[in-house]
Amino acid sequence: MSVIELYPLLTQARYVEPIWGGPQLARWLHLPNPEQSKLGEVWQVYDQNLVVNGSLAGQTLAEVTSQFGPALVGTTTNERYGHDFPLLLKFIAAAQPLSVQVHPDDAYAHTHEAASGFHGKTEAWYILEAESGAEVVHGFRDATTRQACEAALAAGTLPELLRQVPVSAGDLVFVPAKTIHAINPGVVLFEIQQKSDLTYRVYDYDRRDAATGLPRQLHLEQAFEVLDFAATEPALVDPMQINPNVRLLVRCPFFSLEHWQLNSIQSLSTSVTSFDCWTVINGNCSLGWSAGSIELSHGMSVIVPAQLGQYQLYPEPSAELLRAYV
């Protein structure tokens, strides 16, 4: 299949209703009947999501990536991971606290979890909405040890070791792999992360699985193998103003995330090094290129292949977007 057939891709979002889900995310996304929803996550861009537009519709993003390789994901990703789509983009909101958890880095994931096909998991959260007094868990209050954590777990006092970080709409929280963390109620956020679903639960508020009635599984051995017990870096990242309408929110070896306020037509061009992923978080816009156009509304994401070249964004009449890339 010729690479010139590549075009901007829309994928079918995956809706997840975990034990801690509630109505807040469905309301923010303007979904029907949000008061009945237990929605906790919407996986916008993930390699198992189906493409829903154009000639590649019906294939998974993983299958398309396998066919096109660097023409889709770019040379940077292809050199690091081969024909593999490297990111997972999602919306999250919780009615109850998420488990206190940790994710491995690439070295551990590729060695001990190779069968999963997942990478390590460094992630970042852009806070879309936050109630007054909202907080997230990010790291330990002070440097600690495995022995101190095990003693706190036995005594039921682990939360006392954890750092609670107040957050507001517009904040960016950076969560490197190996950092203990949790999302608390009262926030809606956009998460950018490496392609991984490797989560090691450390503490879960003694909740029970609704299906079995048993306490939810913890993963203490794996967690203690990967946890960084040292003093944690600050949670919040100061954005860099690129121009009056664009802020670089975070940049790390695995991804970059920008915030764009569009009030006029923007002419853009992809780089051979990476795809672009655009997610609309307010308003509406359309994306046009030489062979077509796509209408984008609140809560939609689109993947622009690395080899596409020139394209344009047309706000209607204004729009707020997040741009993710490697």
Side-chain angles (χ1 to χ4, degrees):
M1 185 175 290
S2 170
V3 294
I4 62 171
E5 295 184 42
L6 266 177
Y7 54 89
L9 303 173
L10 299 175
T11 60
Q12 185 177 59
R14 174 182 173 186
Y15 293 81
V16 183
E17 296 189 347
I19 192 172
W20 41 262
Q24 189 176 12
L25 183 54
R27 282 200 298 263
W28 189 86
L29 288 169
H30 307 155
L31 299 179
N33 301 319
E35 64 277 6
Q36 276 82 44
S37 176
K38 297 296 181 184
L39 192 62
E41 300 187 3
V42 177
W43 292 25
Q44 296 286 109
V45 175
Y46 174 51
D47 74 354
Q48 295 306 306
N49 290 6
L50 292 177
V51 174
V52 296
N53 68 314
S55 59
L56 297 169
Q59 296 190 49
T60 66
L61 183 56
E63 289 169 337
V64 175
T65 305
S66 179
Q67 291 176 52
F68 291 99
L72 174 61
V73 298
T75 55
T76 298
T77 289
N78 195 70
E79 288 167 3
R80 180 180 293 162
Y81 297 127
H83 289 201
D84 188 19
F85 197 86
L87 299 183
L88 198 169
L89 309 180
K90 61 175 76 166
F91 293 115
I92 301 177
Q96 302 176 35
L98 273 68
S99 61
V100 176
Q101 57 192 243
V102 65
H103 307 300
D105 60 8
D106 275 358
Y108 188 93
H110 294 163
T111 301
H112 299 279
E113 302 275 14
S116 71
F118 291 133
H119 306 306
K121 188 175 175 183
T122 287
E123 63 190 72
W125 309 330
Y126 180 70
I127 308 300
L128 298 163
E129 184 177 278
E131 297 175 1
S132 176
E135 296 178 323
V136 297
V137 173
H138 186 280
F140 295 105
R141 291 177 184 268
D142 302 293
T144 187
T145 64
R146 173 173 180 160
Q147 292 72 25
C149 286
E150 289 175 330
L153 281 169
T157 59
L158 182 72
E160 296 176 13
L161 301 183
L162 305 176
R163 181 173 61 179
Q164 300 284 345
V165 179
V167 291
S168 302
D171 285 344
L172 191 290
V173 181
F174 182 55
V175 188
K178 304 167 68 172
T179 303
I180 197 166
H181 64 277
I183 297 168
N184 289 334
V187 297
V188 178
L189 61 84
F190 176 88
E191 178 175 287
I192 180 173
Q193 58 159 95
Q194 294 179 264
K195 188 201 81 174
S196 180
D197 198 26
L198 297 175
T199 295
Y200 302 143
R201 293 193 199 109
V202 180
Y203 180 77
D204 195 44
Y205 305 94
D206 299 320
R207 285 183 290 208
R208 293 180 176 268
D209 187 288
T212 65
L214 299 174
R216 291 217 299 167
Q217 184 181 6
L218 302 180
H219 313 93
L220 298 181
E221 275 307 312
Q222 297 102 315
F224 287 135
E225 286 182 6
V226 304
L227 259 175
D228 185 352
F229 296 100
T232 314
E233 293 293 319
L236 301 183
V237 176
D238 292 328
M240 178 187 299
Q241 199 76 39
I242 297 175
N243 63 48
N245 297 315
V246 181
R247 292 182 299 147
L248 174 64
L249 299 173
V250 65
R251 175 171 289 167
C252 72
F254 308 106
F255 52 74
S256 295
L257 186 66
E258 297 173 355
H259 176 275
W260 286 60
Q261 181 63 56
L262 290 185
N263 300 304
S264 61
I265 298 171
Q266 297 290 317
S267 294
L268 301 154
S269 182
T270 55
S271 164
V272 296
T273 61
S274 176
F275 56 90
D276 287 338
C277 279
W278 292 94
T279 299
V280 181
I281 58 173
N282 192 25
N284 301 281
C285 74
S286 58
L287 185 152
W289 69 103
S290 61
S293 65
I294 292 174
E295 298 294 322
L296 301 171
S297 58
H298 177 83
M300 289 182 66
S301 297
V302 61
I303 304 152
V304 182
Q307 199 158 0
L308 185 74
Q310 294 184 341
Y311 65 100
Q312 298 78 38
L313 293 174
Y314 302 89
E316 302 171 1
S318 64
E320 193 178 350
L321 298 95
L322 298 175
R323 176 191 176 221
Y325 57 96
V326 176

